[in-house]
Amino acid sequence: MTMTTQRPLEITSLTKVFPTPSGPHVAVKDFRALIQPGEFVSLLGHSGCGKSTVLAIVAGLSSASEGGVIVDGKEIEGPGLERALVFQTPSLLPWMTALDNVLLAVSQAHPALGHREQKAMASKYLDMVGLTEYANQRPTELSQGTQQRVAIARAFSLEPRFLLLDEPFGALDSITRRELQDLLLDLWEQDRKTVLMVTHDVDEALYLSDRIILMTDGPESRVGLELEITLPRPRSAEGSLDHPDYFRLRREVLQFLEHHSKQFSSGGHAGHSNKKSSAVVV
Amino acid sequence: MNLLKNFALSLVGATLVVGLWALVSTTISKDLPSPIKTWTESKVYILQPFDKRGEMDQGILRMAAYSLYRVAKGFLLAILIGTPLGFLLGNSLLLSKMFDPVIQILRPISPLAWLPLGLILFRQSEPAALFTIALCSMWPTVINTMQGVRSIPQDYLNVATVLRLSPWRRFTKVLLPATLPYMFTGYRLSLGLAWLVIVAAEMLTGTPGVGGFLWQEYNSLIYSHILLCILTIGLVGFALDRLMGIAETRLRAA
Protein backbone atom coordinates (compact mmCIF):
# COMPACT_ATOMS: atom_id res chain seq x y z
CA MET A 1 0.00 0.00 0.00
CA THR A 2 2.74 2.45 0.93
CA MET A 3 4.53 1.49 -2.25
CA THR A 4 1.60 2.34 -4.45
CA THR A 5 0.67 5.54 -2.68
CA GLN A 6 4.12 6.87 -3.36
CA ARG A 7 3.68 6.65 -7.09
CA PRO A 8 2.91 9.81 -9.00
CA LEU A 9 -0.06 10.31 -11.26
CA GLU A 10 1.24 10.54 -14.76
CA ILE A 11 -0.39 12.04 -17.81
CA THR A 12 1.48 10.83 -20.89
CA SER A 13 1.36 12.86 -24.11
CA LEU A 14 -2.37 13.06 -23.91
CA THR A 15 -4.23 14.11 -27.04
CA LYS A 16 -7.96 14.59 -27.41
CA VAL A 17 -9.62 14.94 -30.76
CA PHE A 18 -13.32 15.72 -31.08
CA PRO A 19 -15.06 14.93 -34.34
CA THR A 20 -16.98 17.93 -35.66
CA PRO A 21 -18.98 18.45 -38.84
CA SER A 22 -16.11 20.53 -40.19
CA GLY A 23 -13.52 17.86 -39.47
CA PRO A 24 -11.63 16.69 -36.42
CA HIS A 25 -10.95 19.29 -33.74
CA VAL A 26 -7.76 18.73 -31.76
CA ALA A 27 -8.64 20.17 -28.37
CA VAL A 28 -5.59 19.00 -26.47
CA LYS A 29 -2.32 17.89 -27.99
CA ASP A 30 0.58 16.13 -26.35
CA PHE A 31 -0.26 17.22 -22.83
CA ARG A 32 2.21 15.82 -20.30
CA ALA A 33 2.29 16.14 -16.55
CA LEU A 34 3.64 14.30 -13.57
CA ILE A 35 1.84 14.92 -10.32
CA GLN A 36 3.67 13.84 -7.22
CA PRO A 37 1.95 12.17 -4.28
CA GLY A 38 0.58 14.79 -1.92
CA GLU A 39 1.04 17.55 -4.43
CA PHE A 40 -1.64 20.16 -5.08
CA VAL A 41 -1.54 21.04 -8.75
CA SER A 42 -3.73 23.50 -10.58
CA LEU A 43 -4.45 23.53 -14.28
CA LEU A 44 -4.91 27.12 -15.33
CA GLY A 45 -5.83 28.58 -18.68
CA HIS A 46 -8.36 30.58 -20.63
CA SER A 47 -11.82 29.12 -20.82
CA GLY A 48 -12.11 26.66 -23.64
CA CYS A 49 -8.43 25.77 -23.53
CA GLY A 50 -9.17 22.14 -22.83
CA LYS A 51 -8.26 22.01 -19.16
CA SER A 52 -11.58 20.48 -18.23
CA THR A 53 -11.10 17.97 -21.04
CA VAL A 54 -7.85 16.88 -19.44
CA LEU A 55 -9.52 16.56 -16.05
CA ALA A 56 -12.47 14.60 -17.47
CA ILE A 57 -10.00 12.14 -18.96
CA VAL A 58 -8.13 11.80 -15.67
CA ALA A 59 -11.50 11.24 -13.96
CA GLY A 60 -12.37 8.57 -16.49
CA LEU A 61 -15.46 10.35 -17.78
CA SER A 62 -13.89 10.77 -21.17
CA SER A 63 -11.24 8.81 -23.00
CA ALA A 64 -8.05 10.06 -24.56
CA SER A 65 -7.55 9.88 -28.30
CA GLU A 66 -3.85 9.30 -27.75
CA GLY A 67 -1.75 8.92 -24.66
CA GLY A 68 -3.33 8.29 -21.33
CA VAL A 69 -3.28 8.54 -17.58
CA ILE A 70 -1.17 6.26 -15.42
CA VAL A 71 -2.13 5.56 -11.84
CA ASP A 72 -0.16 3.05 -9.77
CA GLY A 73 1.82 2.05 -12.81
CA LYS A 74 -1.29 1.12 -14.77
CA GLU A 75 -3.16 3.01 -17.41
CA ILE A 76 -6.63 3.89 -16.17
CA GLU A 77 -9.68 2.50 -17.89
CA GLY A 78 -12.65 4.62 -16.95
CA PRO A 79 -13.50 6.06 -13.56
CA GLY A 80 -12.23 4.72 -10.27
CA LEU A 81 -13.16 5.36 -6.67
CA GLU A 82 -9.53 6.20 -5.84
CA ARG A 83 -10.05 9.33 -7.95
CA ALA A 84 -12.83 11.49 -6.53
CA LEU A 85 -14.24 14.26 -8.67
CA VAL A 86 -15.86 17.48 -7.53
CA PHE A 87 -17.84 19.05 -10.34
CA GLN A 88 -18.25 22.69 -11.20
CA THR A 89 -21.88 22.50 -10.12
CA PRO A 90 -22.61 20.66 -6.87
CA SER A 91 -24.32 17.87 -8.86
CA LEU A 92 -26.14 16.54 -5.84
CA LEU A 93 -29.07 14.24 -6.48
CA PRO A 94 -32.04 16.48 -5.58
CA TRP A 95 -34.31 13.64 -4.45
CA MET A 96 -31.91 12.69 -1.67
CA THR A 97 -31.04 14.50 1.53
CA ALA A 98 -27.54 15.86 1.99
CA LEU A 99 -26.71 12.85 4.14
CA ASP A 100 -28.05 10.37 1.60
CA ASN A 101 -26.01 11.99 -1.14
CA VAL A 102 -22.86 11.37 0.88
CA LEU A 103 -24.14 7.96 1.94
CA LEU A 104 -24.46 6.89 -1.68
CA ALA A 105 -20.75 7.54 -2.15
CA VAL A 106 -19.83 5.85 1.15
CA SER A 107 -21.82 2.75 0.27
CA GLN A 108 -19.97 2.53 -3.04
CA ALA A 109 -16.53 2.99 -1.51
CA HIS A 110 -17.12 0.80 1.53
CA PRO A 111 -19.58 -1.88 0.49
CA ALA A 112 -18.35 -4.25 3.20
CA LEU A 113 -19.52 -1.97 6.01
CA GLY A 114 -22.98 -2.36 7.53
CA HIS A 115 -25.61 0.26 6.84
CA ARG A 116 -25.20 1.75 10.32
CA GLU A 117 -21.46 2.16 9.92
CA GLN A 118 -21.89 3.63 6.47
CA LYS A 119 -24.33 6.15 7.83
CA ALA A 120 -22.00 7.07 10.68
CA MET A 121 -19.24 7.57 8.17
CA ALA A 122 -21.39 9.78 5.95
CA SER A 123 -22.31 11.85 9.03
CA LYS A 124 -18.67 12.16 9.92
CA TYR A 125 -17.84 13.64 6.53
CA LEU A 126 -20.80 16.03 6.62
CA ASP A 127 -19.58 17.05 10.03
CA MET A 128 -16.13 17.67 8.60
CA VAL A 129 -17.49 20.29 6.22
CA GLY A 130 -19.58 21.81 9.02
CA LEU A 131 -22.99 20.64 7.86
CA THR A 132 -24.15 18.35 10.66
CA GLU A 133 -27.36 20.29 11.10
CA TYR A 134 -28.19 20.21 7.37
CA ALA A 135 -27.94 16.43 7.10
CA ASN A 136 -31.64 15.89 6.49
CA GLN A 137 -32.19 18.78 4.13
CA ARG A 138 -32.54 18.38 0.44
CA PRO A 139 -30.15 20.14 -1.94
CA THR A 140 -32.82 22.56 -3.16
CA GLU A 141 -33.16 23.85 0.40
CA LEU A 142 -29.45 24.65 0.57
CA SER A 143 -27.47 27.56 -0.85
CA GLN A 144 -25.11 26.94 -3.73
CA GLY A 145 -22.11 27.19 -1.40
CA THR A 146 -23.62 24.75 1.08
CA GLN A 147 -24.42 22.35 -1.73
CA GLN A 148 -20.82 22.49 -2.86
CA ARG A 149 -19.76 21.69 0.71
CA VAL A 150 -21.89 18.56 0.53
CA ALA A 151 -20.24 17.73 -2.79
CA ILE A 152 -16.83 18.12 -1.15
CA ALA A 153 -17.94 15.88 1.72
CA ARG A 154 -19.12 13.34 -0.83
CA ALA A 155 -15.76 13.37 -2.59
CA PHE A 156 -13.77 13.04 0.64
CA SER A 157 -16.07 10.30 1.91
CA LEU A 158 -14.76 8.07 -0.87
CA GLU A 159 -11.43 8.37 0.96
CA PRO A 160 -9.75 8.75 -2.41
CA ARG A 161 -6.04 9.10 -3.00
CA PHE A 162 -6.60 11.59 -5.77
CA LEU A 163 -8.91 14.54 -5.64
CA LEU A 164 -9.97 16.02 -8.96
CA LEU A 165 -11.62 19.42 -8.86
CA ASP A 166 -13.27 20.92 -11.92
CA GLU A 167 -13.58 24.66 -11.25
CA PRO A 168 -15.24 23.71 -7.98
CA PHE A 169 -15.82 27.27 -6.79
CA GLY A 170 -16.35 28.95 -10.14
CA ALA A 171 -20.08 29.44 -9.66
CA LEU A 172 -19.86 30.92 -6.16
CA ASP A 173 -19.79 34.50 -4.95
CA SER A 174 -16.37 35.73 -3.85
CA ILE A 175 -16.99 35.52 -0.10
CA THR A 176 -18.33 31.97 -0.25
CA ARG A 177 -15.54 31.06 -2.62
CA ARG A 178 -12.93 32.22 -0.12
CA GLU A 179 -14.66 30.26 2.66
CA LEU A 180 -14.67 27.09 0.64
CA GLN A 181 -11.08 27.56 -0.45
CA ASP A 182 -10.10 27.71 3.22
CA LEU A 183 -12.23 24.66 3.97
CA LEU A 184 -10.55 22.77 1.17
CA LEU A 185 -7.10 23.80 2.40
CA ASP A 186 -7.98 22.65 5.93
CA LEU A 187 -9.19 19.28 4.72
CA TRP A 188 -6.22 18.90 2.43
CA GLU A 189 -3.73 19.67 5.21
CA GLN A 190 -5.15 16.75 7.22
CA ASP A 191 -3.92 14.03 4.88
CA ARG A 192 -2.51 15.81 1.84
CA LYS A 193 -4.21 13.94 -0.94
CA THR A 194 -2.88 14.37 -4.42
CA VAL A 195 -4.98 17.12 -5.99
CA LEU A 196 -5.49 18.15 -9.58
CA MET A 197 -7.68 21.23 -9.81
CA VAL A 198 -8.93 23.01 -12.90
CA THR A 199 -9.54 26.71 -12.48
CA HIS A 200 -9.50 29.97 -14.38
CA ASP A 201 -9.13 32.00 -11.22
CA VAL A 202 -5.50 33.10 -10.94
CA ASP A 203 -5.71 33.98 -7.24
CA GLU A 204 -7.37 30.70 -6.42
CA ALA A 205 -4.63 28.77 -8.18
CA LEU A 206 -1.90 30.76 -6.41
CA TYR A 207 -3.54 30.48 -3.02
CA LEU A 208 -4.12 26.74 -3.08
CA SER A 209 -1.47 25.14 -5.23
CA ASP A 210 2.03 23.79 -4.92
CA ARG A 211 2.36 24.07 -8.64
CA ILE A 212 0.42 25.68 -11.45
CA ILE A 213 0.37 24.20 -14.91
CA LEU A 214 -0.56 26.89 -17.39
CA MET A 215 -2.15 25.68 -20.59
CA THR A 216 -1.84 27.36 -23.96
CA ASP A 217 -4.99 28.43 -25.75
CA GLY A 218 -6.71 25.83 -27.86
CA PRO A 219 -6.92 24.26 -30.30
CA GLU A 220 -4.03 21.89 -29.78
CA SER A 221 -3.54 23.26 -26.33
CA ARG A 222 -0.79 21.88 -24.16
CA VAL A 223 1.40 22.76 -21.22
CA GLY A 224 2.70 26.28 -21.70
CA LEU A 225 4.42 26.97 -18.43
CA GLU A 226 4.82 25.36 -15.04
CA LEU A 227 5.20 27.46 -11.98
CA GLU A 228 6.18 26.27 -8.51
CA ILE A 229 4.21 28.14 -5.86
CA THR A 230 6.39 28.00 -2.81
CA LEU A 231 4.37 30.27 -0.61
CA PRO A 232 4.74 28.86 2.90
CA ARG A 233 2.08 26.48 4.23
CA PRO A 234 -0.25 26.39 5.99
CA ARG A 235 -1.61 29.29 4.02
CA SER A 236 -4.11 31.88 5.08
CA ALA A 237 -5.65 34.80 3.28
CA GLU A 238 -3.70 37.40 5.27
CA GLY A 239 -0.34 35.65 5.30
CA SER A 240 -0.26 34.41 1.73
CA LEU A 241 -1.70 37.42 -0.01
CA ASP A 242 0.80 39.72 1.70
CA HIS A 243 3.74 37.52 0.90
CA PRO A 244 6.26 39.34 -1.33
CA ASP A 245 6.42 36.42 -3.76
CA TYR A 246 2.68 36.47 -4.27
CA PHE A 247 2.57 39.48 -6.55
CA ARG A 248 5.56 38.41 -8.55
CA LEU A 249 4.01 35.00 -9.19
CA ARG A 250 0.69 36.57 -9.96
CA ARG A 251 2.28 38.92 -12.48
CA GLU A 252 4.02 36.03 -14.12
CA VAL A 253 0.81 34.06 -14.48
CA LEU A 254 -1.07 37.05 -15.85
CA GLN A 255 1.70 37.81 -18.30
CA PHE A 256 1.53 34.29 -19.57
CA LEU A 257 -2.21 34.42 -19.93
CA GLU A 258 -2.09 37.74 -21.75
CA HIS A 259 0.76 37.22 -24.19
CA HIS A 260 2.54 33.95 -23.99
CA SER A 261 -0.44 31.73 -24.56
CA LYS A 262 -1.27 33.25 -27.94
CA GLN A 263 2.33 33.10 -29.01
CA PHE A 264 2.47 29.46 -28.11
CA SER A 265 -0.63 28.43 -29.91
CA SER A 266 0.27 30.33 -33.06
CA GLY A 267 3.85 29.13 -32.88
CA GLY A 268 2.79 25.53 -33.31
CA HIS A 269 5.35 23.17 -31.91
CA ALA A 270 8.08 25.75 -31.58
CA GLY A 271 9.54 26.07 -28.14
CA HIS A 272 9.75 23.55 -25.39
CA SER A 273 6.29 23.17 -24.01
CA ASN A 274 7.33 21.52 -20.80
CA LYS A 275 9.91 24.01 -19.68
CA LYS A 276 9.88 24.92 -16.05
CA SER A 277 9.72 28.51 -15.09
CA SER A 278 13.02 30.10 -14.30
CA ALA A 279 11.24 32.02 -11.61
CA VAL A 280 10.91 29.18 -9.16
CA VAL A 281 10.82 30.58 -5.68
CA VAL A 282 13.13 28.68 -3.39
CA MET B 1 -61.58 34.40 -0.31
CA ASN B 2 -60.04 34.00 -3.73
CA LEU B 3 -61.07 30.37 -3.73
CA LEU B 4 -64.65 31.35 -3.01
CA LYS B 5 -64.57 33.92 -5.78
CA ASN B 6 -63.23 31.40 -8.26
CA PHE B 7 -65.88 28.91 -7.23
CA ALA B 8 -68.60 31.51 -7.68
CA LEU B 9 -67.24 32.37 -11.12
CA SER B 10 -67.22 28.74 -12.27
CA LEU B 11 -70.76 28.42 -10.94
CA VAL B 12 -71.78 31.39 -13.08
CA GLY B 13 -70.10 29.78 -16.10
CA ALA B 14 -71.88 26.49 -15.53
CA THR B 15 -75.21 28.24 -15.10
CA LEU B 16 -74.71 30.06 -18.40
CA VAL B 17 -74.02 26.79 -20.21
CA VAL B 18 -77.08 25.12 -18.64
CA GLY B 19 -79.10 28.18 -19.68
CA LEU B 20 -77.88 27.83 -23.24
CA TRP B 21 -78.76 24.15 -23.10
CA ALA B 22 -82.27 25.00 -21.92
CA LEU B 23 -82.59 27.60 -24.64
CA VAL B 24 -81.45 25.25 -27.40
CA SER B 25 -83.73 22.46 -26.16
CA THR B 26 -86.80 24.71 -26.26
CA THR B 27 -86.04 26.48 -29.53
CA ILE B 28 -83.73 24.92 -32.10
CA SER B 29 -83.68 21.28 -31.17
CA LYS B 30 -86.86 19.86 -29.69
CA ASP B 31 -85.29 16.39 -29.46
CA LEU B 32 -82.73 17.59 -26.97
CA PRO B 33 -84.13 17.01 -23.47
CA SER B 34 -84.19 20.17 -21.40
CA PRO B 35 -82.13 20.31 -18.17
CA ILE B 36 -85.29 19.87 -16.11
CA LYS B 37 -86.50 16.94 -18.15
CA THR B 38 -83.07 15.38 -17.89
CA TRP B 39 -83.17 15.71 -14.13
CA THR B 40 -86.67 14.31 -13.67
CA GLU B 41 -86.01 11.32 -15.92
CA SER B 42 -82.56 10.65 -14.44
CA LYS B 43 -82.98 11.35 -10.77
CA VAL B 44 -83.62 7.74 -9.87
CA TYR B 45 -80.14 6.93 -11.19
CA ILE B 46 -78.59 9.83 -9.31
CA LEU B 47 -80.49 9.58 -6.03
CA GLN B 48 -80.02 5.82 -5.79
CA PRO B 49 -76.60 5.76 -7.38
CA PHE B 50 -75.64 2.23 -6.36
CA ASP B 51 -78.91 0.43 -7.08
CA LYS B 52 -78.96 -2.61 -9.28
CA ARG B 53 -82.30 -3.18 -10.97
CA GLY B 54 -81.05 -5.13 -13.96
CA GLU B 55 -77.98 -5.79 -16.08
CA MET B 56 -78.14 -2.45 -17.88
CA ASP B 57 -80.36 -0.66 -15.37
CA GLN B 58 -78.18 0.37 -12.49
CA GLY B 59 -77.38 3.49 -10.46
CA ILE B 60 -75.06 5.87 -12.24
CA LEU B 61 -72.20 5.57 -9.78
CA ARG B 62 -72.43 1.79 -9.95
CA MET B 63 -72.13 2.09 -13.74
CA ALA B 64 -69.24 4.49 -13.33
CA ALA B 65 -67.56 2.04 -10.96
CA TYR B 66 -67.72 -0.73 -13.61
CA SER B 67 -66.18 1.64 -16.09
CA LEU B 68 -63.51 2.79 -13.65
CA TYR B 69 -62.57 -0.78 -12.86
CA ARG B 70 -62.21 -1.54 -16.55
CA VAL B 71 -60.20 1.66 -17.08
CA ALA B 72 -57.97 0.79 -14.14
CA LYS B 73 -57.11 -2.56 -15.71
CA GLY B 74 -56.47 -1.09 -19.15
CA PHE B 75 -54.49 1.80 -17.72
CA LEU B 76 -52.39 -0.54 -15.60
CA LEU B 77 -51.64 -2.58 -18.68
CA ALA B 78 -50.74 0.61 -20.55
CA ILE B 79 -48.25 1.83 -17.96
CA LEU B 80 -46.81 -1.63 -17.36
CA ILE B 81 -45.94 -1.79 -21.05
CA GLY B 82 -45.45 1.92 -21.66
CA THR B 83 -43.00 2.71 -18.86
CA PRO B 84 -40.32 0.11 -19.69
CA LEU B 85 -40.78 0.91 -23.36
CA GLY B 86 -40.21 4.60 -22.61
CA PHE B 87 -37.03 3.80 -20.66
CA LEU B 88 -35.77 1.61 -23.46
CA LEU B 89 -36.40 4.22 -26.13
CA GLY B 90 -35.03 7.01 -23.96
CA ASN B 91 -31.81 5.13 -23.36
CA SER B 92 -31.14 4.00 -26.88
CA LEU B 93 -30.91 6.42 -29.74
CA LEU B 94 -30.92 3.49 -32.13
CA LEU B 95 -34.18 2.05 -30.80
CA SER B 96 -35.86 5.43 -30.67
CA LYS B 97 -34.89 6.17 -34.25
CA MET B 98 -36.30 2.77 -35.19
CA PHE B 99 -39.58 3.09 -33.37
CA ASP B 100 -40.33 6.77 -33.20
CA PRO B 101 -42.03 6.89 -36.61
CA VAL B 102 -44.07 3.79 -35.75
CA ILE B 103 -45.24 5.39 -32.53
CA GLN B 104 -46.13 8.62 -34.27
CA ILE B 105 -48.27 6.62 -36.68
CA LEU B 106 -49.92 4.41 -34.04
CA ARG B 107 -50.58 7.29 -31.66
CA PRO B 108 -53.41 9.08 -33.52
CA ILE B 109 -55.37 5.90 -34.25
CA SER B 110 -58.83 6.07 -32.73
CA PRO B 111 -60.15 3.43 -30.32
CA LEU B 112 -62.96 2.82 -32.77
CA ALA B 113 -60.33 1.52 -35.16
CA TRP B 114 -58.54 -0.71 -32.65
CA LEU B 115 -61.64 -2.29 -31.13
CA PRO B 116 -62.66 -4.48 -34.07
CA LEU B 117 -59.09 -5.73 -34.27
CA GLY B 118 -59.21 -6.52 -30.54
CA LEU B 119 -62.46 -8.41 -31.01
CA ILE B 120 -60.94 -10.44 -33.82
CA LEU B 121 -57.81 -11.18 -31.79
CA PHE B 122 -59.49 -12.05 -28.48
CA ARG B 123 -62.98 -13.07 -29.57
CA GLN B 124 -64.36 -11.65 -26.33
CA SER B 125 -65.47 -8.15 -25.53
CA GLU B 126 -63.69 -7.72 -22.20
CA PRO B 127 -60.10 -8.43 -23.31
CA ALA B 128 -60.81 -6.54 -26.52
CA ALA B 129 -61.82 -3.51 -24.47
CA LEU B 130 -58.67 -3.75 -22.34
CA PHE B 131 -56.55 -4.18 -25.46
CA THR B 132 -58.08 -1.04 -26.91
CA ILE B 133 -57.72 1.00 -23.75
CA ALA B 134 -54.10 -0.03 -23.28
CA LEU B 135 -53.14 0.53 -26.89
CA CYS B 136 -54.72 3.95 -27.07
CA SER B 137 -53.65 5.28 -23.73
CA MET B 138 -50.07 4.15 -23.42
CA TRP B 139 -48.42 6.60 -25.82
CA PRO B 140 -48.23 9.59 -23.50
CA THR B 141 -46.56 7.31 -20.94
CA VAL B 142 -44.07 6.05 -23.53
CA ILE B 143 -43.30 9.49 -24.89
CA ASN B 144 -43.06 11.29 -21.55
CA THR B 145 -40.93 8.58 -19.96
CA MET B 146 -38.65 8.66 -23.00
CA GLN B 147 -38.45 12.43 -22.77
CA GLY B 148 -37.76 12.18 -19.04
CA VAL B 149 -34.89 9.77 -19.54
CA ARG B 150 -33.42 12.04 -22.20
CA SER B 151 -33.76 15.10 -20.00
CA ILE B 152 -31.75 13.68 -17.10
CA PRO B 153 -29.02 16.26 -16.51
CA GLN B 154 -25.61 15.02 -17.59
CA ASP B 155 -24.35 15.99 -14.11
CA TYR B 156 -26.43 13.25 -12.48
CA LEU B 157 -25.25 10.67 -14.98
CA ASN B 158 -21.65 11.76 -14.39
CA VAL B 159 -22.16 11.30 -10.65
CA ALA B 160 -23.44 7.79 -11.27
CA THR B 161 -20.44 7.11 -13.48
CA VAL B 162 -17.72 8.43 -11.19
CA LEU B 163 -19.30 6.68 -8.22
CA ARG B 164 -19.25 3.51 -10.30
CA LEU B 165 -22.87 2.64 -9.58
CA SER B 166 -23.91 -0.78 -10.78
CA PRO B 167 -26.50 -0.75 -13.59
CA TRP B 168 -29.23 -1.59 -11.08
CA ARG B 169 -28.23 1.15 -8.61
CA ARG B 170 -27.78 3.57 -11.48
CA PHE B 171 -31.36 2.83 -12.41
CA THR B 172 -32.91 2.95 -8.93
CA LYS B 173 -30.82 5.80 -7.50
CA VAL B 174 -30.53 8.08 -10.53
CA LEU B 175 -32.53 7.21 -13.66
CA LEU B 176 -35.81 6.33 -12.00
CA PRO B 177 -36.04 9.24 -9.53
CA ALA B 178 -34.94 11.70 -12.20
CA THR B 179 -37.58 10.44 -14.61
CA LEU B 180 -40.42 10.05 -12.11
CA PRO B 181 -41.99 13.51 -12.59
CA TYR B 182 -42.06 13.00 -16.37
CA MET B 183 -43.48 9.52 -15.93
CA PHE B 184 -46.29 10.89 -13.81
CA THR B 185 -47.14 13.52 -16.37
CA GLY B 186 -47.37 10.66 -18.83
CA TYR B 187 -49.54 8.64 -16.44
CA ARG B 188 -51.88 11.55 -15.99
CA LEU B 189 -52.32 12.02 -19.72
CA SER B 190 -52.65 8.26 -20.22
CA LEU B 191 -55.35 7.98 -17.61
CA GLY B 192 -57.27 10.80 -19.30
CA LEU B 193 -57.04 8.96 -22.61
CA ALA B 194 -57.99 5.64 -21.03
CA TRP B 195 -61.15 7.23 -19.71
CA LEU B 196 -61.92 8.64 -23.15
CA VAL B 197 -61.48 5.23 -24.68
CA ILE B 198 -63.62 3.32 -22.18
CA VAL B 199 -66.77 4.91 -23.46
CA ALA B 200 -66.06 3.92 -27.04
CA ALA B 201 -65.10 0.42 -25.92
CA GLU B 202 -68.26 -0.08 -23.88
CA MET B 203 -70.48 1.35 -26.54
CA LEU B 204 -69.28 -1.15 -29.06
CA THR B 205 -69.01 -4.18 -26.79
CA GLY B 206 -72.25 -3.50 -24.92
CA THR B 207 -70.78 -4.25 -21.53
CA PRO B 208 -72.26 -2.61 -18.42
CA GLY B 209 -70.72 0.72 -17.58
CA VAL B 210 -71.35 4.37 -18.32
CA GLY B 211 -70.52 3.97 -22.00
CA GLY B 212 -72.57 0.82 -22.42
CA PHE B 213 -75.50 2.43 -20.66
CA LEU B 214 -75.23 5.49 -22.87
CA TRP B 215 -75.39 3.41 -26.04
CA GLN B 216 -78.28 1.31 -24.77
CA GLU B 217 -80.31 4.37 -23.86
CA TYR B 218 -79.61 5.82 -27.29
CA ASN B 219 -81.03 2.66 -28.82
CA SER B 220 -83.99 2.86 -26.41
CA LEU B 221 -84.55 6.50 -27.44
CA ILE B 222 -84.22 7.75 -23.83
CA TYR B 223 -82.15 10.80 -24.71
CA SER B 224 -82.12 12.33 -21.25
CA HIS B 225 -80.06 9.39 -20.03
CA ILE B 226 -77.49 10.10 -22.70
CA LEU B 227 -77.05 13.53 -21.20
CA LEU B 228 -76.80 11.97 -17.75
CA CYS B 229 -74.02 9.71 -19.00
CA ILE B 230 -72.19 12.55 -20.71
CA LEU B 231 -72.23 14.62 -17.55
CA THR B 232 -71.08 11.66 -15.47
CA ILE B 233 -68.25 10.92 -17.85
CA GLY B 234 -67.13 14.52 -17.71
CA LEU B 235 -67.27 14.72 -13.92
CA VAL B 236 -65.46 11.43 -13.39
CA GLY B 237 -62.79 12.38 -15.92
CA PHE B 238 -62.35 15.71 -14.19
CA ALA B 239 -62.02 14.01 -10.79
CA LEU B 240 -59.46 11.54 -12.15
CA ASP B 241 -57.36 14.32 -13.64
CA ARG B 242 -57.47 16.26 -10.38
CA LEU B 243 -56.41 13.22 -8.38
CA MET B 244 -53.49 12.54 -10.70
CA GLY B 245 -52.64 16.24 -10.59
CA ILE B 246 -52.43 16.12 -6.81
CA ALA B 247 -50.25 13.00 -6.95
CA GLU B 248 -48.03 14.73 -9.50
CA THR B 249 -47.52 17.89 -7.41
CA ARG B 250 -46.79 15.80 -4.33
CA LEU B 251 -44.17 14.00 -6.34
CA ARG B 252 -42.54 17.15 -7.65
CA ALA B 253 -42.45 18.64 -4.18
CA ALA B 254 -40.83 15.52 -2.75
Side-chain angles (χ1 to χ4, degrees), chain A residues 59-190:
Chain A
L61 279 176
S62 174
S63 57
S65 307
E66 276 168 57
V69 179
I70 294 169
V71 170
D72 295 339
K74 274 183 298 198
E75 188 165 333
I76 59 155
E77 288 171 21
L81 293 173
E82 80 286 351
R83 282 165 281 137
L85 177 61
V86 176
F87 302 88
Q88 188 172 3
T89 59
S91 302
L92 302 176
L93 302 177
W95 45 86
M96 292 183 185
T97 62
L99 184 69
D100 285 343
N101 267 284
V102 181
L103 186 58
L104 183 66
V106 172
S107 65
Q108 286 297 110
H110 309 279
L113 289 181
H115 184 69
R116 196 180 294 260
E117 283 100 329
Q118 288 177 347
K119 210 161 177 174
M121 197 164 171
S123 298
K124 184 187 92 183
Y125 279 99
L126 265 190
D127 199 31
M128 238 171 60
V129 298
L131 293 182
T132 313
E133 61 206 284
Y134 296 103
N136 292 317
Q137 305 223 341
R138 287 174 193 273
T140 44
E141 299 167 316
L142 305 172
S143 70
Q144 186 85 354
T146 309
Q147 288 185 38
Q148 198 58 301
R149 275 177 195 257
V150 179
I152 290 170
R154 177 172 65 185
F156 273 87
S157 78
L158 291 169
E159 306 194 327
R161 304 209 320 277
F162 305 96
L163 193 60
L164 310 175
L165 308 165
D166 188 5
E167 299 188 29
F169 312 130
L172 304 175
D173 66 87
S174 57
I175 295 169
T176 312
R177 185 181 312 156
R178 186 42 63 105
E179 276 174 20
L180 285 195
Q181 286 167 355
D182 285 335
L183 172 76
L184 178 64
L185 272 184
D186 277 353
L187 295 176
W188 181 74
E189 289 288 356
Q190 288 174 19

Side-chain angles (χ1 to χ4, degrees), chain B residues 6 12-13 27 31 59 62 65 83 86 105 113 151 156 159 170 173 194 214 217 239 246 251:
Chain B
N6 284 344
V12 171
T27 55
D31 281 338
R62 201 182 173 93
T83 313
I105 290 166
S151 316
Y156 301 164
V159 168
R170 188 186 173 89
K173 300 282 178 184
L214 188 152
E217 299 305 274
I246 290 168
L251 207 75

Side-chain angles (χ1 to χ4, degrees), chain B residues 19 82 89 104 129 169 178 184:
Chain B
L89 297 182
Q104 297 308 331
R169 289 198 107 194
F184 250 75

Side-chain angles (χ1 to χ4, degrees), chain B:
Chain B
M1 212 55 222
N2 222 343
L3 211 70
L4 208 69
K5 195 176 150 195
N6 284 344
F7 182 72
L9 280 175
S10 29
L11 216 60
V12 171
T15 312
L16 284 175
V17 172
V18 172
L20 189 71
W21 167 16
L23 192 73
V24 169
S25 66
T26 49
T27 55
I28 308 168
S29 176
K30 300 280 190 208
D31 281 338
L32 183 70
S34 72
I36 292 161
K37 190 176 175 216
T38 303
W39 167 252
T40 47
E41 287 181 4
S42 307
K43 68 177 176 207
V44 62
Y45 293 95
I46 298 166
L47 297 178
Q48 288 145 350
F50 294 105
D51 266 18
K52 183 171 181 176
R53 292 172 291 269
E55 176 74 7
M56 284 310 241
D57 185 15
Q58 307 186 36
I60 195 65
L61 286 186
R62 201 182 173 93
M63 289 289 199
Y66 290 136
S67 295
L68 278 173
Y69 182 55
R70 198 166 286 125
V71 159
K73 286 193 285 187
F75 171 65
L76 212 64
L77 200 61
I79 65 176
L80 282 180
I81 299 169
T83 313
L85 196 60
F87 267 101
L88 222 59
L89 297 182
N91 265 319
S92 160
L93 205 62
L94 183 83
L95 283 180
S96 79
K97 276 184 180 160
M98 264 164 83
F99 290 108
D100 193 57
V102 181
I103 290 174
Q104 297 308 331
I105 290 166
L106 292 181
R107 204 163 56 95
I109 296 174
S110 142
L112 299 172
W114 285 119
L115 197 69
L117 189 67
L119 286 169
I120 293 167
L121 286 174
F122 299 101
R123 298 186 178 281
Q124 276 177 328
S125 62
E126 195 61 26
L130 296 188
F131 164 83
T132 306
I133 295 166
L135 211 54
C136 286
S137 67
M138 76 177 187
W139 306 117
T141 294
V142 175
I143 290 164
N144 278 277
T145 306
M146 182 174 85
Q147 200 59 47
V149 172
R150 286 195 194 143
S151 316
I152 298 175
Q154 189 59 40
D155 284 353
Y156 301 164
L157 298 176
N158 284 344
V159 168
T161 306
V162 297
L163 291 182
R164 297 182 63 92
L165 299 186
S166 64
W168 175 246
R169 289 198 107 194
R170 188 186 173 89
F171 176 73
T172 55
K173 300 282 178 184
V174 182
L175 295 187
L176 189 62
T179 316
L180 215 55
Y182 290 85
M183 273 163 55
F184 250 75
T185 303
Y187 290 173
R188 181 184 184 174
L189 296 171
S190 282
L191 186 60
L193 270 183
W195 184 244
L196 278 182
V197 171
I198 182 77
V199 178
E202 285 178 354
M203 276 164 72
L204 292 187
T205 57
T207 39
V210 198
F213 183 55
L214 188 152
W215 195 243
Q216 179 204 257
E217 299 305 274
Y218 166 69
N219 288 324
S220 320
L221 307 175
I222 310 173
Y223 298 153
S224 57
H225 291 170
I226 294 179
L227 290 164
L228 167 70
C229 288
I230 288 175
L231 286 172
T232 308
I233 291 160
L235 284 170
V236 171
F238 173 71
L240 283 180
D241 193 62
R242 273 299 155 99
L243 283 175
M244 286 302 275
I246 290 168
E248 209 181 331
T249 13
R250 282 265 169 94
L251 207 75
R252 280 184 198 276

